[in-house]
Amino acid sequence: MLDQAATLALGAAGASKAIASGLIILKKNEAALWVGQASLVEPRRQPGYYSGGSAGVRLHIAKGVSYRIGASSRSYTPGPEVQTPVDQGSIIVTTRRVVFKGLKASREWVFDKLLGIDDATDGTSVLLHVSNRQKVSGLLLGKSSEAFRVFLALGLAIRERGASAVADECAASAAAHLEERPVRP
């Protein structure tokens, strides 16, 4: 994986543009690092309920006829907002952003506007906080969540330090890993 990361970092200037050529239009000085499948998750309000009661009396006037005297107070309590899958599609990690392209919706999380990343406890979904959206949306990744996290970290590192510096770091890490690897008996 480290060798692949070093190769992708070196090729970030243009060689990996073929990866996403049919999915998205890449911007100037942008290269695609990884493409996978995911579900878009967004907050959706769950059903609420009415609560309250009355303080009054019901008077029976005749058979089947009654009259209510008093007041009633009912209030509506909205349900909680829950992250809910709303669409399925392709997810592309580039050197500048993460893009979701589905049949019903498309979303873009630009690294320059990224405020934070939250992982689910089960490790299958990621919520991406950006400054240009009030509500947090994210991705339900399933089995590809580990690969997504690796390439997201690679894309963020390339954006911050440059492709050649990250390629050198990955190559050095791969070489160190090969030296430290235990010998089979």
Side-chain angles (χ1 to χ4, degrees):
M1 186 70 107
L2 286 170
D3 293 331
Q4 184 183 10
T7 304
L8 282 171
L10 278 174
S16 59
K17 288 189 181 207
I19 293 175
S21 62
L23 295 173
I24 63 169
I25 297 171
L26 295 171
K27 299 180 181 198
K28 185 178 180 181
N29 298 325
E30 179 180 32
L33 300 174
W34 182 77
V35 176
Q37 296 295 311
S39 294
L40 176 66
V41 291
E42 291 184 335
R44 294 289 188 254
R45 176 105 25 220
Q46 298 299 306
Y49 60 93
Y50 285 97
S51 61
S54 64
V57 185
R58 181 177 296 258
L59 300 173
H60 293 282
I61 298 171
K63 186 175 181 179
V65 178
S66 62
Y67 185 73
R68 183 176 184 73
I69 300 173
S72 66
S73 63
R74 289 180 49 154
S75 64
Y76 180 75
T77 304
E81 280 193 345
V82 177
Q83 292 290 343
T84 308
V86 295
D87 196 7
Q88 289 185 323
S90 299
I91 187 78
I92 303 104
V93 177
T94 74
T95 54
R96 295 178 70 182
R97 59 195 170 141
V98 175
V99 178
F100 174 82
K101 184 179 172 189
L103 295 174
K104 297 183 243 177
S106 296
R107 294 290 179 274
E108 174 184 66
W109 297 273
V110 179
F111 293 161
D112 291 340
K113 296 183 184 268
L114 196 62
L115 299 174
I117 301 168
D118 289 334
D119 290 326
T121 54
D122 61 355
T124 61
S125 64
V126 174
L127 297 177
L128 302 161
H129 301 263
V130 287
S131 61
N132 59 334
R133 245 180 260 138
Q134 286 183 343
K135 297 198 177 198
V136 178
S137 57
L139 303 163
L140 183 60
L141 297 156
K143 294 178 182 177
S144 61
S145 63
E146 185 177 332
F148 171 79
R149 284 177 180 77
V150 167
F151 288 105
L152 177 63
L154 181 65
L156 288 167
I158 289 171
R159 184 74 181 146
E160 185 178 316
R161 296 190 300 273
S164 59
V166 172
D168 292 342
E169 291 170 15
C170 289
S173 294
H177 177 70
L178 287 174
E179 280 184 23
E180 294 172 6
R181 186 168 59 180
V183 180
R184 286 188 177 188

